[in-house]
Amino acid sequence: MNQEMMTADQKKVDLESWLKDYGTSLLRMCFLYLKDLQLAEDIVQETMVNAYLKYEEFNHQASVKSWLTRIAINRCKDYRRSAWFRRVSCVELEGLGEQGGFLTKDEVSDQVETSHQYLDLIKAVFHLPVKYREVILLYYYQELSIKETASMLAVPESTVSTRLRRAKLALKKTLGGWYYDEE
Amino acid sequence: MRNEIDRGLRKICLSEAECARIRERIAHMESGVGSDKRKGTIKKRSRGIGTLKVLVAAVLLVFALSALCVAAELPWKFMQLFESVNEASVYDGIELRIMSAAADEDSVMIFYTLEDLEGGRISASTQIYDYNLTGPATMGTFMENYDEKTKTATFLFMGDNIEGMRGEKLTFSLQSFLNGSSMEMYKMEPNVGDLMAKRAEDHGEALFQSHPADRDWVIWNAQNDRGAVLQEEWMKKEESFLLQGEPMALSLPGVDWVTVTNMGYQDGWLHVRVKYDEEKGKINHGYLCLTDSTGAEMENAILNSPLSDGREEFIISIDDRAELNDLYLGGFFTNNQSLHTGEWKVTFEVNGLASKTVACQVETEDLSVHKAVLSPLGVTIYGIGEREDHLLLQMKDGTQVSTEGSSGSGDGETKEFTCKYKFAEPLDIDQVQWLMISGQQVDVL
């Protein structure tokens, strides 16, 4: 088996691994960023395809997760900047429940209090200004470091720290009693 | 926090179907069909009509139209460049025929017809709904002509940002089309002030109720920039109110699927509740607005709250209630009556137009360009950085040509982009002396 065939086979194996290990978390991150499930699916598709195409360029200095997250978040930002997206900016959370996305009202009412809390958190994240939302998604949800988050957003690490602090304050205010701090 | 988010979003998972689509797209690219190796582009899938609310559908249309605006006057000027194709696909008695096509390195224009061989399902109001062509990242299609005698509609398709398309087989497919009227402005008489007076006379003054405790379930849709600002203000309110009850049943003249069910004014906001027909609401879209007496849309900031059961409440900023006497209820809506679905697919080849590759080294603070490709349809720039809106070309006879419109794709991470700048009419590329990119002259040898 020559090197080229090995690489091609490895790419396919890696793609399956990416889909299995990171696909859902990327989808959820993109959904929280863009508030649009189908757009989030498009972004994940594009992320995976781009990563596959750039497989040889990936130098493994960063983690695969960080690499995929970077591609996805940049794609989300591109979409948010587009005139098309600026005019969309809408989503009905209730309706998404029936599409396999969100919990429906009935489901919510059947849940214990903690389920409300999860939803409250998601709604609170949804309502954050995007600059706070993205740091929350990268730092807390994707569990990247301050340094990686700063690199991804092309801002100083101090800016990430400031935004995280303000984002947490905003969440605290929204979530009221149910809030916990984490570093 | 990650765990809590995952629990809340537990139903959102990357499905096997979506994984299959990703594998399929990669396999498609690796097979070389369409040579889809561009970066940073999204192959758009048709969105489920019923899953997203009306505004989203409207926005998608605007997106498609904006891509076509540049093209609206173009095709007939380029007719000499089209090659005959004449390949057809028939499904359910309706024939899709690819008549002719013109293509260069990375874009294609296709004339195709739809003819109902059995009945009258194709009309002057037919609109293509769900369609695709292998390869292009951006595409649009619209009707060019309708022949009453043969009941045949001719459409133009335009696709851009295809890499290495020359000599490749193209497959154009159509999955659904609509019949009815396209998006138009509809206006209601009398003015809003009089409508409100009539409402008060018939049903009393409008009552408002505090939005249910779960108001956070809804994210308000802002329909313009000012609306976006007001959206933020609205979100900061301690309490919000929506209209109570639905005592009215006003129809916008000409629109049979939108009914105004309540109106009221409170604290600088005009509230208008509408209800959409369950079935027609799935294939139509549009939005409510205020107009002046001539039917021209006013730029009031509008929020709308998607409610359950096909309802929305539009909330429009009106500083002074007296203004309502000079304003009219209107809206941009489609009025489609039916959605026809099927599987039409035609694979064909076009030779493509001659092109000229220009090696260049444009380096500015914001832009780096290393290649340009000229064709009679336009000039494609391959670069890194910030794209320009248009390019200037100097012809050998001393005249200058400016490009009109562009479409492109790019990689948000690396800032690499490919951008096709279109010509308003066919250009003899052998007569181009130089082109100006970001203030730097690039000679065409």
Side-chain angles (χ1 to χ4, degrees):
Chain A
M1 190 181 288
N2 62 31
Q3 185 64 36
E4 194 174 321
M5 285 177 67
M6 282 178 63
T7 305
D9 288 344
Q10 188 59 46
K11 279 170 74 172
K12 285 187 170 59
V13 170
D14 284 355
L15 173 67
E16 292 306 316
S17 166
W18 301 340
L19 292 171
K20 177 172 171 286
D21 296 341
Y22 308 116
T24 292
S25 72
L26 287 175
L27 180 67
R28 291 172 182 173
M29 180 189 76
C30 294
F31 172 64
L32 286 170
Y33 194 106
L34 298 168
K35 307 176 186 176
D36 182 318
L37 186 55
Q38 287 195 296
L39 196 50
E41 286 179 343
D42 281 346
I43 297 288
V44 172
Q45 181 188 121
E46 189 63 21
T47 298
M48 294 297 178
V49 170
N50 261 17
Y52 188 87
L53 290 177
K54 292 183 173 181
Y55 185 88
E56 288 78 9
E57 296 174 27
F58 178 51
N59 58 18
H60 297 277
Q61 285 180 350
S63 67
V64 170
K65 177 183 169 184
S66 169
W67 180 51
L68 294 173
T69 303
R70 178 188 289 271
I71 297 173
I73 205 79
N74 278 326
R75 199 63 77 235
C76 287
K77 291 171 79 169
D78 283 349
Y79 253 79
R80 263 202 109 258
R81 278 197 291 265
S82 71
W84 172 76
F85 184 83
R86 282 200 297 272
R87 296 193 63 165
V88 176
S89 69
C90 65
V91 65
E92 186 187 10
L93 305 186
E94 190 178 333
L96 281 169
E98 296 163 9
Q99 309 305 319
F102 250 83
L103 294 172
T104 63
K105 271 184 177 176
D106 288 342
E107 283 178 309
V108 169
S109 64
D110 291 340
Q111 300 295 317
V112 293
E113 189 181 0
T114 51
S115 288
H116 282 288
Q117 291 171 348
Y118 305 142
L119 288 167
D120 286 345
L121 172 62
I122 289 161
K123 285 183 282 187
V125 172
F126 256 179
H127 291 166
L128 284 174
V130 69
K131 65 182 177 183
Y132 298 146
R133 201 185 322 150
E134 60 192 14
V135 293
I136 289 287
L137 291 176
L138 293 175
Y139 183 76
Y140 285 122
Y141 185 63
Q142 292 294 358
E143 297 177 329
L144 302 178
S145 66
I146 294 271
K147 187 176 181 180
E148 285 176 310
T149 303
S151 167
M152 247 170 239
L153 299 175
V155 296
E157 291 177 32
S158 58
T159 302
V160 172
S161 299
T162 303
R163 287 181 185 176
L164 277 172
R165 190 170 63 250
R166 289 177 179 165
K168 285 192 290 184
L169 279 174
L171 288 177
K172 192 172 186 177
K173 188 177 175 186
T174 306
L175 295 171
W178 183 72
Y179 175 81
Y180 61 96
D181 203 0
E182 59 179 317
E183 292 296 337
Chain B
M1 188 181 296
R2 180 188 172 94
N3 290 339
E4 281 71 22
I5 289 175
D6 277 336
R7 283 171 194 146
L9 295 178
R10 70 180 195 275
K11 290 191 173 182
I12 293 183
C13 296
L14 193 67
S15 65
E16 182 49 41
E18 190 58 32
C19 291
R21 271 193 284 272
I22 292 169
R23 294 186 198 102
E24 184 184 1
R25 186 175 168 194
I26 288 173
H28 178 73
M29 287 187 292
E30 289 191 323
S31 70
V33 178
S35 296
D36 186 356
K37 291 187 177 177
R38 65 194 183 279
K39 296 172 181 177
T41 55
I42 294 291
K43 186 176 288 291
K44 282 217 162 291
R45 287 175 291 115
S46 176
R47 287 160 179 258
I49 313 170
T51 61
L52 293 179
K53 301 303 288 185
V54 169
L55 175 69
V56 179
V59 170
L60 287 172
L61 183 71
V62 169
F63 175 65
L65 289 174
S66 66
L68 294 173
C69 283
V70 173
E73 298 295 323
L74 290 182
W76 302 109
K77 292 180 179 175
F78 287 88
M79 280 306 291
Q80 73 218 50
L81 305 179
F82 278 73
E83 302 172 35
S84 176
V85 175
N86 206 25
E87 298 279 351
S89 164
V90 178
Y91 182 92
D92 192 24
I94 294 175
E95 180 192 84
L96 164 72
R97 181 171 293 275
I98 305 295
M99 303 298 291
S100 58
D104 62 7
E105 293 283 341
D106 52 16
S107 60
V108 63
M109 293 189 283
I110 301 167
F111 275 113
Y112 64 96
T113 59
L114 276 182
E115 180 182 5
D116 189 347
L117 306 175
E118 297 174 353
R121 289 168 291 179
I122 304 298
S123 70
S125 65
T126 298
Q127 298 166 69
I128 303 301
Y129 187 76
D130 199 356
Y131 62 99
N132 199 13
L133 181 82
T134 50
T138 51
M139 54 183 134
T141 187
F142 57 92
M143 189 184 288
E144 273 291 324
N145 183 50
Y146 180 71
D147 187 331
E148 283 287 354
K149 285 183 183 173
T150 61
K151 306 292 184 192
T152 301
T154 302
F155 295 86
L156 177 71
F157 168 92
M158 303 183 76
D160 288 320
N161 309 125
I162 320 161
E163 198 171 291
M165 188 190 67
R166 186 190 301 280
E168 298 284 354
K169 284 189 176 179
L170 300 173
T171 297
F172 180 80
S173 59
L174 171 65
Q175 287 80 42
S176 59
F177 62 86
L178 294 160
N179 269 327
S181 65
S182 55
M183 200 170 219
E184 292 175 21
M185 167 63 83
Y186 297 91
K187 172 172 163 277
M188 187 184 289
E189 296 280 356
N191 65 56
V192 176
D194 288 346
L195 285 175
M196 297 281 282
K198 183 75 167 58
R199 188 236 182 275
E201 186 181 318
D202 293 346
H203 310 288
E205 286 292 340
L207 298 176
F208 290 83
Q209 60 185 3
S210 177
H211 197 283
D214 63 350
R215 80 178 181 116
D216 282 347
W217 282 104
V218 172
I219 289 183
W220 306 93
N221 305 321
Q223 297 196 354
N224 56 27
D225 290 343
R226 283 185 58 220
V229 173
L230 288 164
Q231 178 181 351
E232 287 197 16
E233 285 181 16
W234 190 276
M235 297 305 294
K236 291 175 188 167
K237 283 173 181 272
E238 292 292 321
E239 195 173 23
S240 62
F241 292 90
L242 293 182
L243 286 163
Q244 182 178 327
E246 297 185 340
M248 305 168 72
L250 295 176
S251 294
L252 273 173
V255 185
D256 64 357
W257 60 278
V258 181
T259 305
V260 174
T261 59
N262 203 350
M263 297 173 70
Y265 181 86
Q266 186 182 59
D267 297 336
W269 297 88
L270 172 68
H271 292 242
V272 182
R273 174 81 61 90
V274 298
K275 185 178 188 315
Y276 303 114
D277 178 87
E278 189 177 349
E279 289 305 313
K280 290 182 178 175
K282 291 178 182 173
I283 60 171
N284 283 290
H285 51 263
Y287 64 90
L288 202 78
C289 66
L290 295 179
T291 78
D292 64 13
S293 60
T294 68
E297 182 180 359
M298 307 298 287
E299 293 189 351
N300 298 74
I302 300 178
L303 306 178
N304 66 316
S305 151
L307 303 170
S308 58
D309 303 326
R311 289 170 165 80
E312 280 187 298
E313 186 152 322
F314 289 81
I315 304 166
I316 308 168
S317 174
I318 301 285
D319 294 335
D320 184 348
R321 185 168 182 154
E323 292 176 35
L324 297 177
N325 295 325
D326 298 320
L327 295 169
Y328 295 79
L329 213 50
F332 274 104
F333 292 104
T334 62
N335 208 16
N336 293 301
Q337 307 300 318
S338 57
L339 177 73
H340 299 270
T341 59
E343 287 294 334
W344 295 269
K345 185 182 283 187
V346 179
T347 300
F348 60 99
E349 278 184 83
V350 286
N351 292 323
L353 302 164
S355 60
K356 185 180 283 190
T357 300
V358 182
C360 50
Q361 287 297 327
V362 174
E363 296 290 344
T364 71
E365 191 176 328
D366 302 319
L367 177 66
S368 168
V369 175
H370 49 88
K371 188 172 88 169
V373 178
L374 277 164
S375 92
L377 302 179
V379 54
T380 304
I381 298 295
Y382 299 84
I384 302 171
E386 298 296 323
R387 285 177 279 186
E388 293 183 291
D389 292 336
H390 60 86
L391 300 179
L392 185 70
L393 294 90
Q394 170 89 14
M395 307 302 285
K396 289 176 179 173
D397 65 3
T399 60
Q400 291 189 330
V401 174
S402 181
T403 56
E404 296 196 9
S406 65
S407 65
S409 60
D411 187 317
E413 188 181 359
T414 65
K415 303 297 181 192
E416 282 183 78
F417 70 85
T418 303
C419 186
K420 178 70 169 276
Y421 296 86
K422 307 281 188 69
F423 299 140
E425 53 189 51
L427 200 72
D428 182 351
I429 57 176
D430 290 331
Q431 296 305 310
V432 179
Q433 188 169 28
W434 51 255
L435 52 136
M436 187 72 76
I437 303 173
S438 196
Q440 295 188 21
Q441 182 177 316
V442 176
D443 292 327
V444 179
L445 303 175

